[in-house]
Amino acid sequence: YKPTRFAAGRNGSGIDLEWAPSRERDIEWYRVYRYPVLGTRSLVCETKKTTCRHDSPPSSTLVTYRVVAVDYDSAGALREGALSDPVDVPLTNTPPSAPTNLQLTTQDDVTTLTWSASPGDPDLGDSVSYYRVYRDGQLVEDRYDRTGTAQELSFVDSRTNGMQHTYWVVAVDKRLAESAKLGPVTG
């Protein structure tokens, strides 16, 4: 099956890409391709996750991406499935405003974060889609989890293993741009 809910957008100097996990159980990995206006596609990333980041995208006015799931056929040869619908990423995307008022409480090795909603996104037709939580760092690899929607203004971390962690929260718009980070809070 083709991957669904594929989204891509500029976030700082790179492009973030994400999609829904495949319904198939035998997927080995996913490949994300960039399609130029003219020429052949180029592989951006190959991953077992349902996200990746293109750290050095071209500075073109518009860049197009597609993702495909890879599995083995009955003869044991690797094969690509159907390509996702294409996603065009424009050169500019203003990040949304940051959420405010980040609070942390801890009880019985469970940490709960709460915050106030982002005031919104300045781009016409764009809006906050969800909130992302960073844990113990502010780099891409420190992305820990996310809410399902922009209406969810809390996050429960039940995987603390009894240790203190430091958290930041960002608003993420429909084009995957992140707001400034709110935080840190530690507990």
Side-chain angles (χ1 to χ4, degrees):
Y1 300 104
K2 72 179 183 179
T4 59
R5 296 195 323 248
F6 183 45
R10 290 190 189 269
N11 189 11
S13 61
I15 294 179
D16 285 338
L17 305 114
E18 64 185 32
W19 54 93
S22 176
R23 296 180 290 162
E24 299 173 73
R25 296 178 187 255
D26 64 342
I27 300 301
E28 292 298 315
W29 59 78
Y30 298 93
R31 290 179 181 152
V32 176
Y33 292 101
R34 178 179 59 84
Y35 288 79
V37 175
L38 298 171
T40 59
R41 70 184 187 179
S42 61
L43 182 66
V44 171
C45 63
E46 200 168 65
T47 181
K48 290 187 179 280
K49 299 178 182 180
T50 56
T51 64
C52 79
R53 181 167 170 84
H54 188 189
D55 284 318
S56 49
S59 58
S60 307
T61 304
L62 193 68
V63 184
T64 302
Y65 293 88
R66 295 178 93 170
V67 63
V68 63
V70 179
D71 69 1
Y72 288 100
D73 65 17
S74 58
L78 282 173
R79 67 176 174 191
E80 290 187 353
L83 286 164
S84 70
D85 294 334
V87 173
D88 295 329
V89 179
L91 183 59
T92 59
N93 181 22
T94 307
S97 299
T100 59
N101 194 31
L102 180 60
Q103 303 290 316
L104 178 145
T105 57
T106 301
Q107 183 176 352
D108 299 327
D109 296 334
V110 174
T111 297
T112 301
L113 302 173
T114 58
W115 57 89
S116 299
S118 163
D121 191 288
D123 290 328
L124 186 63
D126 203 356
S127 61
V128 174
S129 188
Y130 60 88
Y131 295 92
R132 180 175 285 140
V133 176
Y134 284 76
R135 187 171 93 168
D136 297 331
Q138 300 181 59
L139 303 174
V140 170
E141 53 268 17
D142 300 317
R143 291 175 174 171
Y144 184 60
D145 212 333
R146 58 172 272 188
T147 64
T149 69
Q151 288 70 44
E152 295 174 51
L153 302 176
S154 66
F155 173 79
V156 176
D157 185 2
S158 58
R159 299 172 288 173
T160 63
N161 297 324
M163 299 176 63
Q164 278 198 342
H165 296 281
T166 302
Y167 301 87
W168 292 261
V169 174
V170 297
V172 181
D173 70 17
K174 291 191 301 187
R175 297 180 188 145
L176 303 185
E178 290 186 347
S179 70
K181 290 180 178 68
L182 172 63
V185 291
T186 301

